[in-house]
Amino acid sequence: MSRLRFSALAALVLLATPVAAQPRSLGPQTGSLRIEQISVAFIGQGELGGGTLTYAGRSYPITIGGLGIGGIGASRLVASGRVYGLKRRADLAGAYVQLREGWAVGSRGEGRIWLRNNKGVTISLDARRQGLQLTLGADGVLIGFK
């Protein structure tokens, strides 16, 4: 059990270290994002949902879904946060690498999500979770416009 704890702690440090420095190096916030999704995990993880991008004073509905590794359980997630590096609305759509950590027990839960695409867009979200889930891992995520 101690080997598992050490591995989880090491993974968290490796994921959190570069992310902790991000807000200072990403430049100004260019938009905001709010998402709602369902997440189910048993070693592998799947997520599906939607949300709203607020950019240049307008709101745009989006879809979001992904597959990855690192988690167990199921939860409903509501997350909101900041978008950086968005030069055109269309640059939000596409494939992202996502790093995530979080937990949920009943109606209590929280976490952080960081996403980055090949167009230089980075998203940092604070998440509230409901369900029974423990998550720490990486995913491939697709974001599109409705």
Side-chain angles (χ1 to χ4, degrees), residues 5-56:
R5 286 184 192 149
F6 176 77
S7 297
L9 180 61
L12 182 61
V13 168
L14 289 173
L15 290 173
T17 301
V19 172
Q22 282 186 355
R24 290 182 288 280
S25 63
L26 293 175
Q29 179 178 336
T30 54
S32 62
L33 192 66
R34 183 177 191 285
I35 64 170
E36 292 186 30
Q37 66 183 26
I38 300 296
S39 174
V40 178
F42 183 74
I43 303 172
Q45 177 152 327
E47 304 148 341
L48 185 62
T52 304
L53 166 69
T54 303
Y55 175 69

Side-chain angles (χ1 to χ4, degrees), residues 65-146:
L67 295 172
I69 58 169
I72 188 164
S75 67
R76 177 181 174 269
L77 173 131
V78 175
S80 60
R82 297 144 309 280
V83 178
Y84 301 93
L86 188 61
K87 296 180 179 107
R88 300 176 309 134
R89 178 185 74 96
D91 288 345
L92 185 80
Y96 285 78
V97 172
Q98 171 179 276
L99 301 177
R100 61 180 155 65
E101 58 87 11
W103 60 273
V105 177
S107 62
R108 299 178 50 96
E110 60 185 47
R112 298 271 310 174
I113 302 168
W114 300 272
L115 300 104
R116 183 161 178 92
N117 72 10
N118 64 352
K119 299 171 195 163
V121 177
T122 301
I123 302 168
S124 172
L125 301 170
D126 297 313
R128 305 299 283 158
R129 294 178 181 270
Q130 292 180 324
L132 184 58
Q133 187 171 37
L134 179 61
T135 179
L136 174 66
D139 304 318
V141 173
L142 290 176
I143 295 178
F145 290 99
K146 288 184 181 179

